[in-house]
Amino acid sequence: MTDLKETLYGIARAIVDHPDEVTVLEHEGSRETTLTLSVAESDMGMVIGKNGKIAKAIRTVMKAAAATDGKRVNVEIK
């Protein structure tokens, strides 16, 4: 079983310059899990990427990780 919160946490910490300021909040719904990723304001551009490409890639990886357990996940970046 994949721990989605820890997976997102590890991905985000690898990307940013201030890994100590990365937080992930998890909210379990009836149909899907919502993960809210928060990073330092100066790292926001690194997580979102040019034209949102990095954010889209993170969401794709997280959806694939969730699918292995038959779950659905939504990633919000704040």
Side-chain angles (χ1 to χ4, degrees), residues 2-12 15 35 52-69 71-75:
T2 306
D3 186 0
L4 298 175
K5 184 177 177 180
E6 286 298 317
T7 303
L8 180 58
Y9 184 73
I11 291 170
I15 294 173
L35 299 174
K53 288 184 180 182
I54 302 296
K56 184 176 179 182
I58 290 171
R59 289 184 176 109
T60 301
V61 169
M62 293 307 299
K63 286 181 183 189
T68 61
D69 293 335
K71 296 182 180 179
R72 295 181 63 179
V73 68
N74 183 27
V75 177

Side-chain angles (χ1 to χ4, degrees), residues 12-64:
R13 284 180 57 93
I15 294 173
V16 299
D17 286 334
H18 302 93
D20 296 336
E21 295 186 37
V22 173
T23 59
V24 178
L25 299 175
E26 183 175 24
H27 180 269
E28 293 267 344
S30 60
R31 297 182 138 216
E32 70 179 11
T33 301
T34 300
L35 299 174
T36 304
L37 173 65
S38 298
V39 297
E41 194 170 326
S42 60
D43 290 331
M44 191 59 76
M46 294 176 148
V47 173
I48 294 173
K50 194 171 193 176
N51 295 323
K53 288 184 180 182
I54 302 296
K56 184 176 179 182
I58 290 171
R59 289 184 176 109
T60 301
V61 169
M62 293 307 299
K63 286 181 183 189

